[in-house]
Amino acid sequence: MISLGRDDEKRDGLTGDARTAELSHRLDAVRRRIEAAVAAAGRTDPPRLIVVTKFHPADDVRRLAALGVTDVGENRDQEAAAKSAGLPDVGVRWHFIGQLQSNKAKSVVKYAASVQSIDRLQVVDALAKAVAREQDATGRSDLDCFIQVGLDDDAGAHRGGASPSDIGVLADRIESAPGLQLSGLMAVAPLGADPEAAFEKLAGISEALRATYPAATRISAGMSQDLEAAVKFGATHLRIGSDILGSRPAVG
Ligand SMILES: *Cc1c(COP(=O)(O)O)cnc(C)c1O
């Protein structure tokens, strides 16, 4: 960057601060865990790290980008829209990983490279329409789409996602929409269950999906508590929040 305006001063002021040192330390620890898990699994294809910055300020995204982070995740449109709009000079990819209301699709396609929480047809249709308009207006690239799969049989422990039996219909609809690319599947391990069993099940569902859609190879799985299990069962994307950012500030 050539300009030496206020943004540059601000960035330089941030990247030497105590919070940056803390983030750097935590990020290194997580990167070492991922490396160890990749080695233990005998994998040669390291997963992509998405740092989940929800509830943390835009300045933390700026600090993380300076530390080499290329991908961030957010779960609420209002927060993500504001943060991404405030960081036009920070070249990170934004991933939307939270429950999406159809009426937020128009906003999400303005900043998101991927939506990882697609769990019903209405959301597919809303995103298809919104991304087509955005592509006409700005020429944005296609939206990467992950179908979120619910891995728990017990409705009481439900953490979101489509039933495995609904994935085929969702995948068809995504594939038939010109601006949407079917990337693969996303899941959150059920609370209180063995994450290895959950991610093994997810790997099987992914294999079945790839029989029909060979390009849908991505598996977004693994959070702070269970990234090792996710790497073992083939995660291509990890979504790590609290182990890098620290505990989330209380919501007011
Ligand atoms: C918050 C969140 C994460 C990150 O979880 P941590 O336990 O903080 O690492 C990952 N995926 C989704 C869908 C989330 O909402």
Side-chain angles (χ1 to χ4, degrees):
M1 178 160 305
I2 295 163
S3 96
L4 285 171
R6 291 183 55 225
D7 285 354
D8 292 52
E9 282 165 30
K10 185 172 183 202
R11 184 171 49 233
D12 291 340
L14 280 181
T15 53
D17 68 2
R19 175 63 169 159
T20 301
E22 180 193 357
L23 290 174
S24 173
H25 180 76
R26 288 170 165 274
L27 182 62
D28 282 349
V30 166
R31 283 177 173 151
R32 280 195 298 274
R33 277 174 65 195
I34 296 170
E35 271 173 33
V38 166
R43 287 178 54 175
T44 51
D45 55 335
R48 178 176 291 185
L49 171 61
I50 298 172
V51 180
V52 178
T53 48
K54 65 189 184 197
F55 302 121
H56 291 278
D59 279 348
D60 277 353
V61 177
R62 189 179 289 284
R63 291 180 177 99
L64 288 163
L67 295 169
V69 167
T70 54
D71 294 81
V72 297
E74 290 281 337
N75 71 339
R76 295 187 304 180
D77 171 62
Q78 213 184 349
E79 183 180 339
K83 270 186 221 177
S84 58
L87 298 168
D89 57 318
V90 175
V92 291
R93 275 183 294 267
W94 297 82
H95 302 273
F96 192 83
I97 62 170
Q99 268 284 316
L100 182 59
Q101 310 290 306
S102 301
N103 63 358
K104 298 292 167 64
K106 251 167 93 175
S107 171
V108 166
V109 299
K110 291 190 192 304
Y111 58 84
S114 83
V115 173
Q116 305 209 337
S117 42
I118 294 175
D119 60 358
R120 54 195 198 281
L121 287 172
Q122 292 96 304
V123 168
V124 178
D125 293 344
L127 287 171
K129 201 169 144 191
V131 85
R133 276 200 201 155
E134 192 66 16
Q135 289 185 322
D136 282 346
T138 67
R140 68 149 289 157
S141 53
D142 288 352
L143 182 72
D144 288 336
C145 294
F146 292 70
I147 298 170
Q148 183 176 354
V149 190
L151 293 176
D152 40 16
D153 313 315
D154 171 10
H158 198 62
R159 300 186 82 181
S163 152
S165 60
D166 292 337
I167 291 171
V169 172
L170 287 163
D172 282 345
R173 190 74 69 101
I174 291 167
E175 278 288 290
S176 65
L180 305 182
Q181 292 287 337
L182 179 63
S183 295
L185 303 177
M186 184 274 251
V188 176
L191 281 173
D194 171 17
E196 290 210 359
F199 294 142
E200 186 171 16
K201 180 175 171 185
L202 180 64
I205 299 170
S206 168
E207 197 179 336
L209 177 69
R210 276 176 283 135
T212 311
Y213 301 102
T217 55
R218 309 291 163 74
I219 300 176
S220 175
M223 304 171 29
S224 294
Q225 296 299 311
D226 54 26
L227 76 85
E228 285 82 3
V231 169
K232 181 172 174 182
F233 289 100
T236 62
H237 292 59
L238 304 170
R239 308 178 311 273
I240 313 295
S242 45
D243 277 4
I244 295 172
L245 278 301
S247 56
R248 290 185 263 281
V251 199

